[in-house]
């Protein structure tokens, strides 16, 4: 037995009887030893990701009833998620983002129609590969799928515009399997104001939005406050009867002025309510210097494209863009994501943080060491290095989000 295997065996023994105070001091291990342990933890622990944009990638990539161009049951050259890489990384339950672009809001019925079609596509993925994927509508479903080695596909709707102007659609989408709704996306909608929009249509949550939150509480859909404006955030927190989530938001401390991330005030208020924020891995979410650099790079690349008569899909352009970006705006690293987790933990403790990668939604900006779902162990190894215990990591991986999800289920059950 080599050194690493005996180390893992020893750790396994400790994990199984959980004598907390005699747990290995991971900070004393080498990086290679910690990575081995992190891989073991990733495989043996349920891991939930609050936000993966696979359904929209499938829509664009053509996973339709007629054609299967994009098949994520096998390794895919592009994108951040597929079955083999998810297995490698130990990711068991990526929330499938049923993403509705704000552009659909202008056309009555278009948001709901798109949500329905993305839900069908997600169900079709599970039905086409029942030995690999399964739908999941509760923490109990995720646990049962995990025991069978299946990757769960719980669903969250990103943009409450899918509800259109009809409160009855909250219950409809619960029946369709939606388990969280992000109240807005990039633009103000009927429910409330969005962080990327400066219009201030309602000054926060609208009167209709208040009814939506109450109805989500009643039927058992988690309230997701990623993307909303600070005022909408505060208004929703003030009226919800159960803890909330932020499915893919990072800490504003590292990106001053970026309202899409959560301020310390909001993190504290969310924690007092018992909620959980799931950290977004996107480079522009975790590092303001990278965000500033990437807008400069984008401007240069657009000019280069025009000057040289190239299009975005030309291989010559793509090669130039990759080289230019790497030289002029280096990616943040996996350590930066751990900094966000550290910050939340230092502010409100270990019970209010999780992973909400935004994989398949922020592809080009992902940090070095965390480019796709296979690389979760790198982040876990970094947390071990910083002194996080296995119990802490289990909370981040699934126990925190399960606590909120169960509280939402329990409240809904009490209302029937
Ligand atoms: Zn988003």
């Amino acid at each position: 037995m080599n050194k690493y295997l005996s180390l893992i065996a020893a750790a396994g023994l400790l994990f199984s009887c959980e004598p907390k105070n005699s747990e290995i001091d991971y900070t004393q291990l080498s990086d290679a030893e910690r990575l081995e342990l992190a891989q073991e933890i990733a495989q043996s622990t349920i891991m939930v990701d609050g936000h993966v944009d696979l359904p929209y990638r499938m829509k664009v990539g053509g996973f339709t009833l007629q054609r299967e161009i994009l098949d994520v049951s096998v390794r895919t050259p592009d994108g951040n998620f597929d079955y083999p890489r998810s297995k490698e990384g130990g990711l068991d339950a990526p929330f499938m983002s049923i993403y509705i672009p704000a552009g659909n809001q202008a056309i009555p019925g278009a948001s709901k129609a798109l949500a329905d079609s993305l839900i069908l596509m997600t169900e079709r993925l599970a039905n086409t590969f029942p030995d690999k994927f399964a739908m999941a509508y509760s923490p109990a479903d995720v646990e049962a799928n995990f025991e069978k080695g299946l990757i769960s596909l719980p669903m969250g709707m990103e943009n409450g515009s899918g509800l259109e102007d009809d409160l009855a659609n909250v219950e409809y989408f619960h029946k369709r399997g939606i388990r969280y709704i992000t109240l807005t996306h990039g633009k103000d909608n009927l429910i409330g104001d969005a962080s990327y929009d400066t219009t201030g249509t309602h000054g926060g949550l609208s009167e209709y939005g208040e009814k939506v939150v109450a109805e989500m509480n009643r039927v058992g859909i988690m309230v997701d406050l990623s993307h909303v404006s600070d005022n909408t955030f505060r208004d929703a927190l003030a009226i919800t009867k159960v803890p909330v989530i932020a499915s893919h938001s990072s800490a504003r401390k590292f990106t001053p002025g970026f309202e899409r991330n959560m301020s310390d005030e909001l993190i504290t208020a969310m924690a007092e309510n018992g909620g959980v924020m799931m950290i977004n891995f996107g480079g522009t979410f975790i590092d303001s210097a990278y965000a500033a650099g990437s807008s400069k790079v984008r401007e240069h690349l657009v000019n280069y494209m025009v000057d040289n008569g190239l299009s975005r899909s030309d291989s010559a352009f793509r090669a130039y863009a990759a080289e230019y970006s790497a030289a002029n705006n280096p990616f943040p690293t996996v350590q930066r994501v751990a900094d966000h987790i550290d910050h939340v933990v230092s502010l409100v403790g270990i019970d209010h943080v999780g992973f909400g990668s935004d994989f398949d939604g922020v592809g080009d900006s992902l940090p070095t060491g965390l480019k796709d779902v296979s690389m979760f162990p790198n982040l876990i190894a970094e947390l071990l290095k910083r002194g996080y215990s296995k119990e802490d990591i289990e909370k981040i991986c699934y126990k925190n989000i399960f606590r909120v999800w169960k509280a939402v289920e329990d409240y809904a059950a009490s209302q029937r």
Side-chain angles (χ1 to χ4, degrees), residues 37-52:
L37 278 175
Q39 278 158 345
E40 197 276 334
I41 292 172
Q43 293 300 324
S44 62
T45 302
I46 294 176
M47 197 194 297
V48 179
D49 185 325
H51 199 88
V52 173

Side-chain angles (χ1 to χ4, degrees), residues 51 53 158 185 227 248 260 280 285 358:
H51 199 88
D53 267 308
E158 184 175 28
H185 189 251
H227 277 291
H248 58 310
R260 172 67 183 78
N280 192 314
F285 287 80
D358 218 345

Side-chain angles (χ1 to χ4, degrees), residues 11 23 27 56 90 152 157 194 217 242 275 297 344 378 390 402 409:
E23 202 174 336
T27 63
Y56 208 77
S152 290
M157 186 197 285
N217 287 171
V242 290
V297 164
V344 177
N378 291 337
K390 182 166 185 269
F402 271 23
E409 284 184 335

Side-chain angles (χ1 to χ4, degrees), residues 2-73:
N2 73 29
K3 191 172 68 167
Y4 299 148
L5 287 177
S6 57
L7 194 67
I8 288 168
L13 205 67
L14 290 175
F15 295 163
S16 59
C17 42
E18 295 284 332
K20 195 158 171 79
N21 48 12
S22 63
E23 202 174 336
I24 284 182
D25 182 355
Y26 305 110
T27 63
Q28 298 303 310
L29 304 179
S30 72
D31 285 348
E33 289 167 340
R34 258 191 305 269
L35 184 57
E36 292 261 2
L37 278 175
Q39 278 158 345
E40 197 276 334
I41 292 172
Q43 293 300 324
S44 62
T45 302
I46 294 176
M47 197 194 297
V48 179
D49 185 325
H51 199 88
V52 173
D53 267 308
L54 177 68
Y56 208 77
R57 176 177 157 224
M58 288 197 293
K59 175 185 156 62
V60 175
F63 189 84
T64 67
L65 287 174
Q66 290 76 36
R67 300 177 304 153
E68 288 176 26
I69 296 170
L70 178 62
D71 175 0
V72 293
S73 73

